[in-house]
Amino acid sequence: KDTDDWELTIGEDGYYSKRGKSIRRVSTFVLEPTLLLKGEEQEAIVCNVHSPEVTKDVTFTRKAFNGRNGLDKELPNVAWQWLGRDDDVRQLLPLLLEQLNERGLPRTRATGVLGLHTIDGHYYFVGDSCTIDSVDIWPNKTGPIVYLETNREHPVLGNLDNSDSGTYNSSLLNLIPQLNEPSVIWPIIGWYCATPLKSIFELYGIRFPILNVFGTKGSGKTTLIQRVFMP
């Protein structure tokens, strides 16, 4: 079959696949690429999704463009449907990269590991919703290094821009040590405060498991971690 006259085009209501004289709609959405994420193990593209409402900052990994099944797994909204074939999906990635190149190829570093990272001797703390250093806070995907979503379970970094954070943190500091016996709660507090430094420990060959809590059965280890520290 002659496929020389084959291209993927953008319409007002989705993408269209043109093969010769045949034109058919292959999606219910259009992706507007805004940023390329350069991860150590994989790359991803951040897009605004138009369908017809706009959903901003949706991340699609490289695996999404291998075929229809890969793309379907990364389309969380039921209104976003891919109606085309695998080869139509593979045409989508070059089109998005071309659009990014037209914008000057905006890109930033990305990591699938939450916590402390070093870039050119400068420390950054990467959370799932923002990146911070000793001076600034970068929301979402605007920082010098950002979080690239993975399928692994991970903690959630709450919103740091909270007008009541001073009162909240003060109450929290008074209450947490009273949640259990000192022999139980203080090791957990120490572990919790040390976990953001995991990547630094590893630079010096120190093994530090992300979960390193000891205690007798029924002492509240799991409850404290899941109900207090994780939130």
Side-chain angles (χ1 to χ4, degrees):
K1 183 179 180 180
D2 186 11
T3 58
D4 291 340
D5 189 16
W6 172 34
E7 63 177 336
L8 194 68
T9 60
I10 304 174
E12 293 184 358
D13 57 352
Y15 291 102
Y16 284 79
S17 179
K18 178 182 177 183
R19 286 179 169 85
K21 296 182 180 180
S22 173
I23 300 177
R24 64 189 182 92
R25 185 185 180 192
V26 295
S27 78
T28 62
F29 60 88
V30 171
L31 302 181
E32 176 194 354
T34 59
L35 183 66
L36 177 65
L37 300 182
K38 301 282 290 184
E40 295 179 356
E41 299 180 358
Q42 66 172 328
E43 296 183 355
I45 296 179
V46 180
C47 300
N48 296 332
V49 183
H50 299 255
S51 179
E53 296 181 352
V54 180
T55 304
K56 294 186 176 181
D57 298 332
V58 181
T59 301
F60 296 91
T61 68
R62 174 65 180 83
K63 296 178 182 179
F65 304 103
N66 290 337
R68 181 172 178 174
N69 288 338
L71 184 58
D72 284 343
K73 291 178 181 179
E74 300 191 21
L75 293 174
N77 194 317
V78 295
W80 306 344
Q81 296 292 322
W82 189 262
L83 310 173
R85 308 185 317 200
D86 286 343
D87 49 4
D88 294 321
V89 175
R90 288 189 283 270
Q91 283 280 317
L92 183 56
L93 183 56
L95 182 61
L96 295 176
L97 291 175
E98 181 181 345
Q99 291 177 286
L100 277 176
N101 280 317
E102 291 174 355
R103 296 185 174 195
L105 194 60
R107 54 187 171 180
T108 191
R109 296 189 188 188
T111 177
V113 180
L114 294 171
L116 203 60
H117 293 266
T118 308
I119 300 178
D120 298 328
H122 192 89
Y123 290 104
Y124 298 93
F125 185 85
V126 177
D128 68 313
S129 59
C130 66
T131 301
I132 65 176
D133 67 0
S134 59
V135 178
D136 296 311
I137 300 175
W138 293 272
N140 300 321
K141 297 291 188 292
T142 59
I145 180 171
V146 301
Y147 179 60
L148 178 57
E149 290 82 356
T150 67
N151 293 325
R152 297 190 298 267
E153 183 178 357
H154 62 83
V156 176
L157 181 65
N159 182 11
L160 299 178
D161 186 16
N162 187 335
S163 59
D164 297 325
S165 61
T167 302
Y168 173 75
N169 289 334
S170 178
S171 301
L172 200 63
L173 290 174
N174 290 328
L175 289 174
I176 285 182
Q178 303 177 44
L179 290 174
N180 210 311
E181 294 292 331
S183 61
V184 174
I185 191 64
W186 283 108
I188 296 180
I189 292 175
W191 157 77
Y192 177 78
C193 293
T195 50
L197 303 176
K198 175 179 171 66
S199 57
I200 302 300
F201 295 154
E202 291 179 342
L203 291 177
Y204 296 94
I206 301 173
R207 294 179 58 84
F208 183 85
I210 201 67
L211 181 61
N212 191 28
V213 179
F214 296 88
T216 59
K217 183 177 181 181
S219 62
K221 302 185 300 298
T222 302
T223 300
L224 283 171
I225 292 167
Q226 293 183 345
R227 300 290 296 276
V228 177
F229 288 99
M230 286 290 285

